[in-house]
Structures are given as C-alpha cells and as structure tokens.
Amino acid sequence: MQEYQLTLKDKRIVWGKAIDIESLIGKYPSDSIRQGVNAALDWNLPAGVYRAKEVVMELDKMLEAILVQLGEPVNGDPTVLLDSLQANLAISGRLSSLPLGPLALEDKAGAEITAQAVRIGEQLVSWAREINSEKKVLAKYGPETLGKLEFRSHCYGHPLIPEAIAQVWGPFGGPRIMQIYNEYLHQFVLLRDALLPFANWEEVPFEVEEHTGFKGLRFLEPAREIFLTQLLGKKLTHRSIVQYAQSVVSSGLIAAGYGFQYRLGTVLPAGLGESARTAARYLLKWHPVQTIAANETQDWAAVSFDYEYEDYYAAPRNEAGVGKPGNKETLPVSGEHYDEPSIARLLPNAGTDRSILRFSLEMEGREFTVDLGQLFRGHRFLYRPYDNADAAVAKRDSLSWHLAADILSHSGLVTNTSGIHFIPTGGNELVLWALLGKLYPENVVLLDKGDKEELEAAYVSGKGFGTQFLVL
C-alpha cells in the first residue's frame, strides 16, 4: 500500500492509501450534445467524474453553438459573450451574480470565501477564452449540428452587458439564443459557487449524475441556496462550509464534522500541510487518499470525521503547571531549530463507533497524539499579535515558559488559571500544529519572531483577560 503524504518544508505528514483519480476523469457514457425535441438537439452534462476544467470544456459546446447560430455578424468571435460572463462572475458591479465586494465581509470565513470567488471566477473565464479559441467543438460537430441546438433554460435570467444584449437580442439573435446563453451563464455561476469551499478547487473531482428534472450542475441549487444564505447573512460557520462541500461532491453524507471521506478522496481543512501562520482557517482541501480503510468485503464508504470533543468547552482540562520563570521583556528563545520530529501520522481511532482521527508524532523518544479536529479548531481560534492591539487588557504580571513535550504529555486540553505561558517550538511546524490541538483554544497567540515589538502587541491580543499562551 502506497501511503499518501504531504510535505511541509522539510517535514512530512503521512496517512492512508493514495488513490489514482486520473483514470476516472473524462470517461463519460454519452455526449453532452444529444437528441432533443423533434429535430432539435439538447445539451446536458453526461454522468461521470469531473473537475472544473472538464466542465468548462463541456460548457464550451453551448458557447460555440451560440456563435454558429449568430452567424456572420459575430463571425465566431466570443469576446463580447465572454466579457458578459466575466461581469457575471465578478464580485461587484451591476451584473454580479454574487456581490460579495460591496458587503466587505470582515469575518474570517467570509473574507476567505470572498477571495476564493475572485480567484475562481477569473480562472474560469480565462479557461473559457482559451478553450473556445481552439475551436475544437466546431471541428468536432460542424456548424450544421451546432445550429440545431435548442432548449429551454429554466431560470429567470442573468443580466448582460449592453454589447451582449445587442448580440443576443439583435437581428440575428432572439429567444432561442438567449435560452442557450442563459444556461451557459447559469452553469458557470453554479460551478464557481460549488468550488468556493476548496482551496485547491482546480483539483477537486466530483460526480455528476443525469437527472430528468434539471441540467448539468443544477442538482447543486438547493444546497447552494442554503450556503449563500448563510454567507450573505454573515452566519457562515466551518461546519456549514463542510456541509456544503459534502453536497458538492455528492458524498451522500448528511451529518457534518470538520472533514470527510468520499469515494474520490478525503477533504480536510486546508491548513493541513501548510504553515499555521499563513494557512486558511475555514477553507477545505481535497486529498487523493483513502483515509479510512474499508472492510475487505465492502467498497469504501463516505465517512464524516468527528471531533473527539464535540463541545470543547466541556472537554476535560489540565493545568500546564508553573513552568520555568521568565522575563516579560525578553522571551527565552535560543534561536535553534529542532530537526525532530520530521514525520507526523494521521491515525484512525480504533475501537469506537465514531470516526476520529489522531495527529501523532514522536518527540524525545515518546509518542504524542492530539485530536485532528481539535488541532483545526485551535487553528481557527488562535490570535496573531496584531489582531486587536487596542483592546483593554487585564494586567498579567507573571510569565513562565514550558517545553512543548511537557504540554503535549497532559491528557485532555491544557490551560492554566493565570499568567502568561510561553512555549517554543524550535521552528518545527509539526510541533506547532500539535500544540494547537492540545491548548484550550481561548487565548492562544501565535508569534512570528518574539522580539520586543511583537511581544508588546501580543500581550494586548486575544480576549484581554485570563490565561494567555504564546507559541513561537
């Protein structure tokens, strides 16, 4: 069995069984251009496994049919129609289908999703321009076949730029072309919105099944409506992002944890394998790995990954202890970097009916494990030194420092009754991530350098009261 692994600088995270997805992509039992009503031809995504670019290739068939039907005045030039698509996929402007820009979402989840919408929309339009410029659809089907494409697009319509209105509704356009173009735009909007949860959205494989009641990606509309209501209402949580992602990839899962496994891989928070200082806190990432092995007699099933402590507030806690006394003006940092541990493993928790994953590493000849879900929770809730530097802060006189191994050796979550507690990691990202899964996620501040200026900002970061943990 080939294990799957992520590389984090000079460290590795290893788990599960690597799977090959490439052999499944692009294998469709039928064509997206097929017989419609009477002599007309219809369009629909055939059942199969897709990634984003494969969907764009199938959507190009509608665009090329529109260009053929518009004829000589447009002369096969998609510029105007694609400019209108770009306006639809923008996050601001009168034509925006998802006007996140004017909302200026400041919560971390909303800000990450907003940046995603920009990145995905721009790339989808770039692919659409590139694919249509090759004119492979025209070469494959010919103008006579593409001229027969005609169907009803069941939605209220997307607004167009004036130049697109002139083409679509001009002397050579009309309702027939508008129906196709409306569907073309709508499928792109659905595709963009479907991929919003995934940091590596270009790589995510998802299954499409054909249904008689809707075309292409329209099976996503109910889940999308719920998701966008939460996003635009500023009530988006990590769990709701996971719930939406499960629907997008047709996992069949109802309950949502912090991640999940489905037939085509594993989806976990995007921070895994990234630096905790810069990683996204709410986005997800798809991995080509089977995390939970199936029984020999069964195909591997969809699995939702649960937190060990569903309510971390009620989780058992232990005090970090007094540690070694330190000076608030200068942290006891030696500047050395620790080579070990160099490997962390994700281990399914055996002997339980709940699917729990452990993050395991070896330090100083001992094995330490933390709940993977709590690790991600700790990352979402951590503070940075300049997050809220103007907050009113209760005076904390004492500072002590602790070895990471001492903190990780405790059971439950680690906290303390008072004071400032400093934990150096020696620059080891694996140790840092493990600490985020062990410390009670209330007043943990992640440092970059530990110099005097950063310390002054760190002391007034967080909640402004209670025990504070500084991790470097």
Side-chain angles (χ1 to χ4, degrees), residues 42-98:
D42 198 0
W43 176 92
N44 198 0
L45 286 179
V49 178
Y50 292 81
R51 286 176 299 212
K53 195 166 187 178
E54 282 72 32
V55 175
V56 177
M57 291 176 180
E58 295 298 327
L59 295 179
D60 185 58
K61 296 176 181 180
M62 281 192 282
L63 177 59
E64 194 58 46
I66 295 170
L67 295 173
V68 165
Q69 293 179 30
L70 285 173
E72 188 61 34
V74 175
N75 199 26
D77 184 353
T79 302
V80 169
L81 299 181
L82 289 175
D83 286 349
S84 199
L85 170 66
Q86 184 170 329
N88 266 258
L89 294 182
I91 64 166
S92 60
R94 182 180 61 84
L95 276 63
S96 173
S97 58
L98 187 60

Side-chain angles (χ1 to χ4, degrees), residues 387-405:
D387 275 354
N388 57 340
D390 296 326
V393 178
K395 185 176 178 60
R396 302 183 185 95
D397 293 321
S398 64
L399 182 142
S400 58
W401 66 281
H402 307 257
L403 294 175

Side-chain angles (χ1 to χ4, degrees), residues 316-323 402 406-407 409-418 421 439 467 469:
R317 305 182 209 176
N318 281 287
E319 293 201 0
V322 295
H402 307 257
D406 291 341
I407 298 295
S409 65
H410 288 285
S411 60
L413 301 181
V414 174
T415 184
N416 222 327
T417 54
S418 62
H421 302 266
L439 295 172
T467 303
F469 285 89

Side-chain angles (χ1 to χ4, degrees), residues 312-313 317 381 383 415 439-444 462-463 465 467:
Y312 68 91
Y313 184 81
R317 305 182 209 176
F381 293 168
Y383 291 94
T415 184
L439 295 172
Y440 184 76
E442 185 171 64
N443 248 350
V444 179
K463 290 184 176 298
F465 58 88
T467 303

